């Protein structure tokens, strides 16, 4: 009897397929793959929480970690400037999917009059930070579901269900954020940051973005742009400016000293903070920081 049971258990183990191995180049995309894929996927995070998406390039150990994966999920929209080189290194054994590629882009927004060449180098003419929108996350869930299903057709129904559940959750988070943001007067919904990383958030939640620098991570702004921003803050009675979690706050500190506005809690710009590297934790942090600084005191 024991021999029969052991043989039966072994046959079950052999018949049970191993999880689909998926590698990710962004923590938010990695979390999305886990939500959609559930127990049917094993997600390998190449860029881990705390990493810098603007300066990261895969090292040989990262290439080794990708081996055996069927899919490599990138954020896309020219954020990962090394993708062409990475494709050459990996060959055809891994399908590289730029999740943001099919998500509608919004142009890079600049609040100052000057040539594009004067900007800090950014990653193209469109804002690559698409994951600041709940609607974009819903689109991304469907994209990831389709890619997982193509790689693992036997579990397609489970991936579709996972995408629907994730989309429902993203919708609930959007409703929560809208209710919180309603505490801020419409005239005060101006988001002053150093870098232009919040265009999708501003579009979805009704803020006007005001940024000093480009999409990249340079911290240098010329005196003309600083003066223009100071004038705009004074003209519109802007209440606060917001640094970002991985950027030097020196430019905004200078503006705050000149105008007397408060400096809000740093916002999560790139979705890679150690304490906020999922859409839910990033959105919750940012919305609470904005409400704390811009809503009327009770």
């Amino acid at each position: 009897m024991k021999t029969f049971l052991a043989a039966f258990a072994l046959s079950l183990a052999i018949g049970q397929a191993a999880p689909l191995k998926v590698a990710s180049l962004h923590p938010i995309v990695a979390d999305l793959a886990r939500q959609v894929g559930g127990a049917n996927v094993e997600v390998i995070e190449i860029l881990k929480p705390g990493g810098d998406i603007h300066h990261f390039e895969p090292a040989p150990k990262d290439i080794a970690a990708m081996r055996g994966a069927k899919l490599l999920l990138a954020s896309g929209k020219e954020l990962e400037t090394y993708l062409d080189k990475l494709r050459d290194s990996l060959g055809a054994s891994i399908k590289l999917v730029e999740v943001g590629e099919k998500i509608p882009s919004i142009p890079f927004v600049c609040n100052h009059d000057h040539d594009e060449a004067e900007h800090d180098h950014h990653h193209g003419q469109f804002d690559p930070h698409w994951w600041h929108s709940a609607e974009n996350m819903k689109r991304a869930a469907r994209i990831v579901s389709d890619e997982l299903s193509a790689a693992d057709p036997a579990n397609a129904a489970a991936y579709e269900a996972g995408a629907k559940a994730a989309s429902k959750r993203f919708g609930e988070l959007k409703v929560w954020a809208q209710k919180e943001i309603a505490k801020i007067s419409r005239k005060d919904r101006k988001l002053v940051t150093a870098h232009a990383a919040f265009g999708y958030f501003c579009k979805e939640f009704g803020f006007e973005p005001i940024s000093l620098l480009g999409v990249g991570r340079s911290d240098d702004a010329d005196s003309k742009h600083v003066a223009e921003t100071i004038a705009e803050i004074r003209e519109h009675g802007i209440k606060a400016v917001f640094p970002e979690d991985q950027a030097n706050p020196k430019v905004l500190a200078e503006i705050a000293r000149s105008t007397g506005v408060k400096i809000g809690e740093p916002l999560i710009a790139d979705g890679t903070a150690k304490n906020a590297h999922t859409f839910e934790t990033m959105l919750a942090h940012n919305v609470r920081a904005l409400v704390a600084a811009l809503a009327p005191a009770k």
Side-chain angles (χ1 to χ4, degrees), residues 200-213:
Y200 295 91
F201 175 91
C202 290
K203 182 179 179 181
E204 186 151 289
F205 295 107
F207 282 78
E208 178 187 345
I210 300 171
S211 61
L212 279 163
L213 309 169

Side-chain angles (χ1 to χ4, degrees), residues 19-284:
L20 179 69
K21 187 174 178 181
V22 178
S24 169
L25 295 170
H26 194 290
I28 287 180
V29 175
D31 180 68
L32 179 61
R34 292 190 185 99
Q35 290 192 54
V36 174
N40 293 309
V41 301
E42 175 193 0
V43 179
I44 309 299
E45 290 193 61
I46 304 302
L47 176 64
K48 296 177 174 58
D52 182 348
I53 59 174
H54 292 280
H55 296 115
F56 174 79
E57 285 204 19
K61 65 180 178 61
D62 298 315
I63 304 293
M66 297 177 202
R67 302 293 182 193
K70 294 294 184 183
L71 295 175
L72 173 59
L73 302 178
S75 177
K77 292 195 184 299
E78 301 185 40
L79 182 65
E80 300 98 344
T81 55
Y82 52 81
L83 288 186
D84 287 341
K85 189 193 309 183
L86 184 58
R87 282 188 183 94
D88 293 339
S89 298
L90 294 174
S93 61
I94 302 176
K95 183 178 181 182
L96 199 162
V97 178
E98 297 183 55
V99 177
E101 187 176 10
K102 295 180 181 178
I103 294 173
S105 298
I106 62 174
F108 164 72
V109 177
C110 180
N111 305 95
H112 307 292
D113 295 325
H114 54 70
D115 295 331
E116 184 174 316
E118 291 183 54
H119 264 304
D120 163 46
H121 68 283
H122 54 82
H123 301 267
Q125 63 180 342
F126 297 106
D127 182 352
H129 302 80
W130 57 264
W131 56 84
H132 281 294
S133 157
E135 295 304 316
N136 286 349
M137 289 298 294
K138 291 180 186 180
R139 295 182 180 100
R142 293 193 293 270
I143 291 166
V144 170
S145 173
D146 289 345
E147 294 294 344
L148 294 177
S149 297
D152 180 22
N155 289 306
Y159 297 139
E160 183 178 353
K164 287 181 179 178
S167 294
K168 182 175 183 291
R169 179 59 178 154
F170 298 145
E172 292 168 347
L173 289 167
K174 180 178 177 179
V175 170
W176 169 83
Q178 288 171 326
K179 288 180 179 178
E180 289 297 304
I181 288 168
K183 298 173 183 177
I184 304 172
S185 168
R186 290 193 178 275
K187 69 179 179 63
D188 290 328
R189 293 181 199 175
K190 294 179 173 61
L191 181 51
V192 182
T193 57
H195 296 93
F198 297 94
Y200 295 91
F201 175 91
C202 290
K203 182 179 179 181
E204 186 151 289
F205 295 107
F207 282 78
E208 178 187 345
I210 300 171
S211 61
L212 279 163
L213 309 169
V215 173
R217 273 288 170 255
S218 169
D219 296 311
D220 296 322
D222 65 35
S223 58
K224 176 187 173 185
H225 299 163
V226 172
E228 288 173 353
T229 304
I230 288 172
E232 191 163 2
I233 287 172
R234 288 172 174 161
E235 179 183 353
H236 296 289
I238 292 171
K239 292 183 175 181
V241 296
F242 295 88
E244 300 130 58
D245 63 308
Q246 290 183 320
N248 190 323
K250 65 179 182 179
V251 175
L252 292 179
E254 177 184 342
I255 289 172
R257 282 194 300 270
S258 299
T259 59
V261 300
K262 58 187 167 186
I263 299 179
E265 186 177 356
L267 302 180
I268 308 298
D270 294 331
T272 59
K274 289 185 177 180
N275 64 335
H277 51 268
T278 67
F279 175 71
E280 179 174 357
T281 54
M282 177 187 67
L283 181 69

